[in-house]
Amino acid sequence: MHKTTLTDHLILIFGVFIMVGPIFVAFMTSTHEAVDVHMKGLQVTWGDDFVSTYKEVLARKGGFTGDVTGARMVMNSFILGIGFAVGKIVLSMLAAYGLVYFRSRFSTLFFWMIFTTLLLPLEVRILPSYDVMTKLGLVNTYTGLIVPLLASATGTFFFRQFFKSVPDELLEAACIDGAGPFKFFIDILVPLSKTMIAAIFIIMFVYGWNQYLWPMIMTNEESFYTLVRGIKQILLVWVGSQIPEYNQAFALAVLAMLPPILIVVIFQSWFIKGLTESDK
């Protein structure tokens, strides 16, 4: 038993090393000068430019226009991540609520029509979506970044399964008390769904935070750049003998990882409970 336990711990420690190792290397590299990184490669020791690098990344205005900062890109990523998460949760809950409680002969058909949209990845519908946003004048806007991708078949599926597990007695009791559809949804279903909401929020926030292709197409103004796009932009400055700011790129990469990690760590118990809890 002891040998088995030791083996299990060694496997887990090895897995942690594999997962955390690249993050550690990226962080350590970000504390060195760009010239050192260019000449010596990735670093695993502490450098002398931690404060200056992160201060410059967050506060210094840069880019082609000279008017965008890392702090602005962090804010844009937060707006995109939170907008995705909140919008997808609201739409998914309303869709699932309609499918479960406003029963019709076509409810199952509508659900499978929604579910089959999972077969259409973003790349398939990106050009039609961009064309619509262009005609509506929503290019280089937060609305154009967030709204076209809010519909979520995954969220609708999870909330539908959750609502189907809610006892019918709650609905009957609400009807006896005179609660209408809206009041039943807000006062009963939403509080019951808090763990599921937390789980879906984490998934959707990370999805929105890490978006690269859609923001790259929908924005050509640097004031709307996200952190993920900012990293790529730094590495595109190689002109003649100019060396890309590798340390700043790694610093942005570290900053880009922090919010999703913090959200997962803070809400991990709700996340696990929301995906596994079945007894209401």
Side-chain angles (χ1 to χ4, degrees):
M1 179 64 69
H2 176 72
K3 183 178 180 180
T4 303
T5 303
L6 179 61
T7 303
D8 293 342
H9 280 79
L10 289 176
I11 293 174
L12 291 174
I13 292 173
F14 178 74
V16 170
F17 175 79
I18 294 297
M19 297 296 293
V20 178
I23 301 175
F24 174 79
V25 173
F27 176 69
M28 287 300 177
T29 303
S30 69
T31 64
H32 290 261
E33 292 184 353
V35 176
D36 292 337
V37 179
H38 180 70
M39 296 179 61
K40 301 177 183 178
L42 299 177
Q43 303 293 314
V44 294
T45 58
W46 182 263
D48 299 325
D49 297 314
F50 169 73
V51 175
S52 60
T53 297
Y54 282 85
K55 183 178 180 180
E56 190 171 4
V57 161
L58 290 172
R60 190 196 69 173
K61 293 183 178 181
F64 294 112
T65 62
D67 196 36
V68 63
T69 64
R72 180 58 186 263
M73 290 189 288
V74 170
M75 184 190 72
N76 291 337
S77 293
F78 263 112
I79 292 174
L80 188 59
I82 293 175
F84 263 58
V86 174
K88 283 176 174 286
I89 287 172
V90 171
L91 285 181
S92 298
M93 291 189 73
L94 291 175
Y97 182 54
L99 290 172
V100 174
Y101 290 99
F102 293 86
R103 298 183 178 92
S104 71
R105 66 177 67 180
F106 301 111
S107 294
T108 303
L109 175 62
F110 291 152
F111 168 71
W112 284 111
M113 289 176 62
I114 294 172
F115 197 72
T116 51
T117 59
L118 290 174
L119 302 176
L120 299 175
L122 173 62
E123 291 76 12
V124 173
R125 49 194 171 91
I126 200 166
L127 289 180
S129 299
Y130 175 77
D131 184 55
V132 172
M133 292 298 103
T134 302
K135 292 179 179 178
L136 293 176
L138 295 178
V139 177
N140 291 316
T141 64
Y142 292 120
T143 303
L145 278 172
I146 296 172
V147 170
L149 305 180
L150 286 186
S152 174
T154 304
T156 302
F157 170 76
F158 279 114
F159 282 115
R160 175 180 177 268
Q161 298 305 112
F162 180 87
F163 291 162
K164 288 174 69 71
S165 68
V166 174
D168 292 336
E169 289 77 9
L170 285 177
L171 177 60
E172 296 171 0
C175 292
I176 293 173
D177 291 340
F182 182 77
K183 187 174 180 60
F184 174 71
F185 177 75
I186 296 297
D187 293 345
I188 297 178
L189 285 184
V190 172
L192 286 175
S193 307
K194 60 183 181 180
T195 54
M196 180 63 67
I197 292 174
I200 300 299
F201 178 85
I202 293 173
I203 296 172
M204 298 306 177
F205 176 84
V206 174
Y207 174 76
W209 180 273
N210 291 327
Q211 277 293 311
Y212 174 73
L213 179 60
W214 180 247
M216 183 179 68
I217 292 176
M218 279 299 298
T219 59
N220 49 42
E221 293 183 7
E222 289 185 331
S223 59
F224 290 96
Y225 280 10
T226 60
L227 269 179
V228 177
R229 187 172 182 185
I231 298 170
K232 181 65 174 179
Q233 204 67 26
I234 286 178
L235 298 177
L236 292 178
V237 300
W238 196 306
V239 180
S241 60
Q242 184 177 359
I243 297 175
E245 299 289 348
Y246 293 113
N247 56 336
Q248 295 185 21
F250 278 109
L252 284 179
V254 172
L255 291 174
M257 287 185 287
L258 286 179
I261 291 174
L262 289 176
I263 286 181
V264 171
V265 170
I266 293 172
F267 297 104
Q268 61 176 330
S269 60
W270 284 29
F271 176 74
I272 296 172
K273 186 182 294 184
L275 294 181
T276 60
E277 190 177 64
S278 60
D279 297 329
K280 307 294 181 287

